[in-house]
Amino acid sequence: MTTAERADTMVLGAGIVGVSIALHLQERGRTVVLVERGEPGGETSHGNAGLIERSSVVPYAFPRDLPTLAALASNRSVAVRYSPATLLRMAPWLARYWWNSAPARLDRLGRAILPLIERSIAEHQRWTQAAGTQALMREGGWIDLYRRKGTLEQALRSAKALACHGLAYDVLGPVELAAREPGLVQGAAEGAIHWRDPVTVSDPGGVTRAYAALFVARGGRLLRGDALSAQQDGDGWRIEAGGRDWRTREAVLALGPWSKEFYERLGYRFPLGFKRGYHMHYEIAPESVPRHPICDAQAGFVLTQMQRGVRLTTGIELADRDAPSDPWQLDQAEQVARRRMPVGRRLDAEPWRGARPCLPDMLPVIGRAPQHPTLWFAFGHAHHGFTLGPVTGRVLAEAMIGETTFCDLRPFSAERFSHGYHANA
């Protein structure tokens, strides 16, 4: 009988969250195996706009004003697209999302996640030199475009309301915007807000792979295997991966949108929903390359320079995680984008599609599994997985080691969902 390999912890999932947890545990003296079926950062961590979003101190709330709701209900909005059948199935989830987006509740939720947002850049930067990702990181923030004066004024009022957070931003009229982004088509917007605090990257999947390579260089084990096949083994956990049988004392579930299959097998029921998104890369003349990521606030897409070309990332598609792709949203966003910037031909054979794992209170689940003391959760980061991966790794590692966590983890506890566990499942 083959003797099992042993380690302290297995981390299931090598996206930005899982890789970051593995690195932080390793830095605290734990032996860690990181399990992934493909390349690190090859799924959701690959397909985003590459924003380390320090300025997003308010969670992405459900719209509550009637004009916006009416526009979304038409299902012709470029920013939000939905499958009618999925919308019916998601109705209870959307109702909870809407309820949590009321101003007082949103303020409470924003204060809960603020410590993570505030440290998001610093926790990425702790590995930049060692991982060799300096050339992929760009300072200078990103720019929100507004096509109408009314929406620009409304956005400016919202920005001023964030003064207590000390965020740096510039309000740009058409002349200032043209000077800052000369590649934009003349008259592309009424104005813009340039958020200067965020850091952006030109290859988010590449950054994740570099962090994973750093973990391996420091002695960690990156194993190819099906993370969903991990099983309880007495008080610990076991998995066959990398051609060997492994046993660990603890496990961390960091499988992003695939976490659902694992926790449901153990009897947990969380209201995890999916906001899908697409991206495509485009050719562009050197003189027209965007100097900063540019978001069309109304259409919900981002244009940003990546190593492969200019990437267009779409807004939100409410659909089942694995439902067939629908080209409508990307096609419409591309038409709008061509009126903003002279992007050329498509560079990818097919659009990339991913699913952001979201909970209706806009907070991730981070912490110990209530009914399994040796299992830890880290999923549900919604729009901010790449932003919050390293800082999630830090706070979860602190909790697992028994250190004092730098922020209160109770708002992220799985136990906030009172009906989250069914013993007979």
Side-chain angles (χ1 to χ4, degrees):
M1 183 174 180
T2 304
T3 302
E5 300 277 0
R6 296 192 177 273
D8 295 324
T9 308
M10 69 172 71
V11 177
L12 305 174
I16 187 65
V17 175
V19 170
S20 299
I21 293 166
L23 268 169
H24 272 287
L25 286 171
Q26 185 184 59
E27 289 178 350
R28 288 162 173 78
R30 290 286 178 91
T31 56
V32 182
V33 292
L34 180 60
V35 185
E36 176 59 56
R37 63 185 178 184
E39 290 296 317
E43 297 287 355
T44 314
S45 297
H46 163 73
N48 57 79
L51 304 176
I52 305 173
E53 194 36 280
R54 170 63 182 86
S55 63
S56 289
V57 295
V58 178
Y60 285 110
F62 195 99
R64 297 179 70 83
D65 62 288
L66 289 178
T68 301
L69 289 171
L72 297 180
S74 71
N75 206 18
R76 302 298 296 174
S77 167
V78 180
V80 179
R81 178 76 169 166
Y82 59 85
S83 155
T86 303
L87 195 67
L88 288 173
R89 287 195 296 273
M90 290 186 70
W93 187 93
L94 291 168
R96 293 175 71 174
Y97 184 15
W98 179 86
W99 188 84
N100 281 306
S101 298
R105 298 184 191 97
L106 187 64
D107 178 68
R108 175 177 55 82
L109 296 166
R111 284 186 276 112
I113 203 166
L114 182 61
L116 303 185
I117 295 290
E118 288 178 329
R119 291 166 176 79
S120 59
I121 293 175
E123 289 302 324
H124 268 278
Q125 289 175 334
R126 70 181 290 125
W127 297 321
T128 298
Q129 184 172 352
T133 56
Q134 301 98 318
L136 301 177
M137 314 286 279
R138 304 173 301 209
E139 296 184 351
W142 71 317
I143 294 176
D144 269 329
L145 297 184
Y146 295 91
R147 289 180 256 161
R148 299 172 184 158
K149 188 175 182 179
T151 53
L152 175 62
E153 291 173 347
Q154 182 180 0
L156 183 55
R157 288 193 294 271
S158 297
K160 289 178 177 177
L162 303 178
C164 61
H165 299 291
L167 299 174
Y169 65 89
D170 297 329
V171 181
L172 309 177
V175 174
E176 294 86 359
L177 177 59
R180 205 155 294 191
E181 284 293 345
L184 284 172
V185 173
Q186 186 175 4
E190 181 70 28
I193 295 179
H194 181 182
W195 296 96
R196 302 203 312 269
D197 295 283
V199 170
T200 64
V201 305
S202 60
D203 185 355
V207 169
T208 305
R209 288 188 293 276
Y211 292 170
L214 177 62
F215 166 74
V216 172
R218 290 176 171 179
R221 300 293 297 269
L222 175 61
L223 306 176
R224 184 67 62 88
D226 180 7
L228 290 172
S229 69
Q231 301 283 339
Q232 285 183 276
D233 180 46
D235 293 334
W237 299 84
R238 63 182 174 85
I239 193 169
E240 290 185 14
R244 303 296 297 272
D245 187 26
W246 286 87
R247 301 287 191 276
T248 65
R249 292 188 291 109
E250 293 182 304
V252 179
L253 178 61
L255 284 169
W258 291 276
S259 299
K260 182 181 176 74
E261 283 90 334
F262 191 91
Y263 66 65
E264 286 192 343
R265 193 177 74 217
L266 297 176
Y268 294 94
R269 299 291 183 267
F270 301 120
L272 191 69
F274 304 106
K275 296 180 183 178
R276 301 203 314 184
Y278 300 81
H279 84 223
M280 173 61 67
H281 293 96
Y282 299 85
E283 214 172 44
I284 194 167
E287 64 272 13
S288 299
V289 169
R291 297 177 177 178
H292 311 82
I294 295 172
C295 175
D296 185 300
Q298 183 176 336
F301 65 77
V302 176
L303 282 170
T304 184
Q305 176 68 6
M306 294 285 182
Q307 289 191 317
R308 179 164 170 73
V310 170
R311 177 181 291 184
L312 186 155
T313 62
T314 65
I316 295 165
E317 181 191 36
L318 298 176
D320 292 337
R321 187 192 65 194
D322 300 324
S325 295
D326 179 353
W328 186 90
Q329 189 177 41
L330 179 64
D331 291 345
Q332 295 298 311
E334 180 181 307
Q335 290 182 31
V336 177
R338 292 188 187 281
R339 297 196 291 270
R340 306 285 172 262
M341 184 166 281
V343 295
R345 65 183 180 90
R346 291 185 172 190
L347 297 176
D348 304 326
E350 297 290 337
W352 178 91
R353 189 196 77 218
R356 309 172 185 98
C358 305
L359 291 149
D361 63 0
M362 295 158 278
L363 301 181
V365 173
I366 305 173
R368 193 191 299 269
Q371 303 298 324
H372 298 79
T374 60
L375 176 65
W376 298 78
F377 290 147
F379 58 83
H381 290 75
H383 296 264
H384 289 142
F386 189 75
T387 293
L388 297 179
V391 73
T392 296
R394 173 183 165 182
V395 74
L396 186 66
E398 289 172 346
M400 293 178 68
I401 296 297
E403 300 174 0
T404 300
T405 57
F406 75 82
C407 73
D408 186 0
L409 276 183
R410 285 176 295 179
F412 310 106
S413 169
E415 293 172 313
R416 71 187 192 266
F417 301 106
S418 58
H419 302 293
Y421 182 73
H422 298 269
N424 296 322

